[in-house]
Amino acid sequence: MAFTGSGTKADPWALSTPPGGSQYQVYREDDTLVCQVGSTKLSYQARCIEDLHAMLQQHGDWMLLGNTDEQQPAALGPAEVEHNARNNRMRAL
Protein backbone atom coordinates (compact mmCIF):
# COMPACT_ATOMS: atom_id res chain seq x y z
CA MET A 1 0.00 0.00 0.00
CA ALA A 2 1.44 3.34 -1.02
CA PHE A 3 1.37 6.40 1.18
CA THR A 4 2.95 9.83 1.18
CA GLY A 5 4.54 11.99 3.89
CA SER A 6 7.40 11.50 6.31
CA GLY A 7 5.25 10.78 9.39
CA THR A 8 5.83 14.04 11.26
CA LYS A 9 3.09 16.41 12.44
CA ALA A 10 4.19 18.91 9.77
CA ASP A 11 4.29 16.19 7.06
CA PRO A 12 1.93 13.36 8.15
CA TRP A 13 1.51 10.08 6.31
CA ALA A 14 -1.46 10.52 3.97
CA LEU A 15 -3.31 7.20 3.82
CA SER A 16 -6.52 5.80 2.43
CA THR A 17 -8.72 2.94 3.56
CA PRO A 18 -8.22 -0.33 1.65
CA PRO A 19 -11.19 0.29 -0.68
CA GLY A 20 -9.77 3.79 -1.30
CA GLY A 21 -12.97 5.57 -0.31
CA SER A 22 -11.71 7.50 2.69
CA GLN A 23 -8.54 9.46 3.46
CA TYR A 24 -6.81 9.96 6.82
CA GLN A 25 -3.48 11.11 8.25
CA VAL A 26 -1.08 9.51 10.72
CA TYR A 27 2.01 11.00 12.34
CA ARG A 28 4.39 10.24 15.15
CA GLU A 29 4.75 12.72 17.98
CA ASP A 30 7.34 11.63 20.55
CA ASP A 31 6.15 8.22 21.82
CA THR A 32 2.64 8.65 20.42
CA LEU A 33 1.17 7.63 17.09
CA VAL A 34 -1.65 10.02 16.15
CA CYS A 35 -4.36 9.12 13.62
CA GLN A 36 -6.46 12.04 12.36
CA VAL A 37 -9.72 11.16 10.58
CA GLY A 38 -11.67 14.33 9.87
CA SER A 39 -12.14 16.02 13.25
CA THR A 40 -11.55 12.77 15.15
CA LYS A 41 -8.07 12.28 16.61
CA LEU A 42 -6.99 8.89 17.94
CA SER A 43 -3.74 8.40 19.88
CA TYR A 44 -1.81 5.17 20.37
CA GLN A 45 1.48 4.26 21.99
CA ALA A 46 3.90 4.33 19.06
CA ARG A 47 5.42 1.02 20.11
CA CYS A 48 2.14 -0.68 19.11
CA ILE A 49 3.49 -1.06 15.57
CA GLU A 50 6.70 -2.78 16.70
CA ASP A 51 4.77 -4.92 19.23
CA LEU A 52 2.27 -5.97 16.58
CA HIS A 53 4.97 -6.93 14.09
CA ALA A 54 6.82 -8.97 16.72
CA MET A 55 3.59 -10.75 17.68
CA LEU A 56 2.86 -11.61 14.05
CA GLN A 57 6.36 -12.96 13.51
CA GLN A 58 6.11 -15.04 16.68
CA HIS A 59 2.75 -16.44 15.55
CA GLY A 60 4.33 -17.42 12.24
CA ASP A 61 1.34 -16.96 9.98
CA TRP A 62 -1.95 -15.17 9.51
CA MET A 63 -3.85 -14.18 12.66
CA LEU A 64 -7.58 -13.57 12.85
CA LEU A 65 -8.43 -10.02 13.88
CA GLY A 66 -11.89 -10.99 15.15
CA ASN A 67 -15.33 -10.48 13.71
CA THR A 68 -15.26 -6.72 13.33
CA ASP A 69 -15.74 -4.24 10.54
CA GLU A 70 -13.15 -1.84 12.00
CA GLN A 71 -10.39 -0.75 9.62
CA GLN A 72 -6.84 -1.44 10.76
CA PRO A 73 -4.01 1.05 10.45
CA ALA A 74 -2.60 0.93 6.93
CA ALA A 75 1.03 1.72 7.71
CA LEU A 76 1.97 -1.29 9.79
CA GLY A 77 5.47 -1.65 8.54
CA PRO A 78 6.29 -5.06 7.08
CA ALA A 79 2.83 -6.62 7.57
CA GLU A 80 -0.03 -7.52 5.27
CA VAL A 81 -3.68 -6.94 6.24
CA GLU A 82 -6.53 -8.85 4.63
CA HIS A 83 -9.98 -7.22 4.84
CA ASN A 84 -12.85 -9.65 4.45
CA ALA A 85 -16.55 -9.42 5.21
CA ARG A 86 -15.73 -11.58 8.26
CA ASN A 87 -12.57 -12.79 9.95
CA ASN A 88 -10.14 -10.03 8.99
CA ARG A 89 -6.57 -11.20 9.47
CA MET A 90 -2.95 -10.13 9.08
CA ARG A 91 0.53 -11.56 8.88
CA ALA A 92 4.08 -10.33 9.17
CA LEU A 93 6.07 -10.13 5.95
Side-chain angles (χ1 to χ4, degrees):
M1 172 170 286
F3 56 92
T4 62
S6 63
T8 65
K9 189 172 184 175
D11 185 27
W13 292 304
L15 305 163
S16 63
T17 58
S22 299
Q23 302 292 316
Y24 60 100
Q25 297 180 333
V26 177
Y27 59 92
R28 188 173 183 145
E29 192 170 58
D30 299 318
D31 291 334
T32 303
L33 193 63
V34 180
C35 177
Q36 183 81 39
V37 183
S39 62
T40 303
K41 186 183 288 188
L42 306 170
S43 298
Y44 304 92
Q45 290 182 355
R47 72 170 217 202
C48 69
I49 302 301
E50 290 85 11
D51 290 350
L52 173 61
H53 188 254
M55 180 182 66
L56 292 171
Q57 285 184 314
Q58 183 179 15
H59 185 269
D61 204 350
W62 287 98
M63 290 185 68
L64 290 177
L65 297 177
N67 294 330
T68 177
D69 291 331
E70 293 178 28
Q71 298 296 321
Q72 303 300 317
L76 292 175
E80 181 179 0
V81 178
E82 183 177 273
H83 295 279
N84 299 307
R86 293 186 61 194
N87 298 326
N88 293 331
R89 61 187 191 158
M90 66 188 327
R91 68 176 174 169
L93 297 177

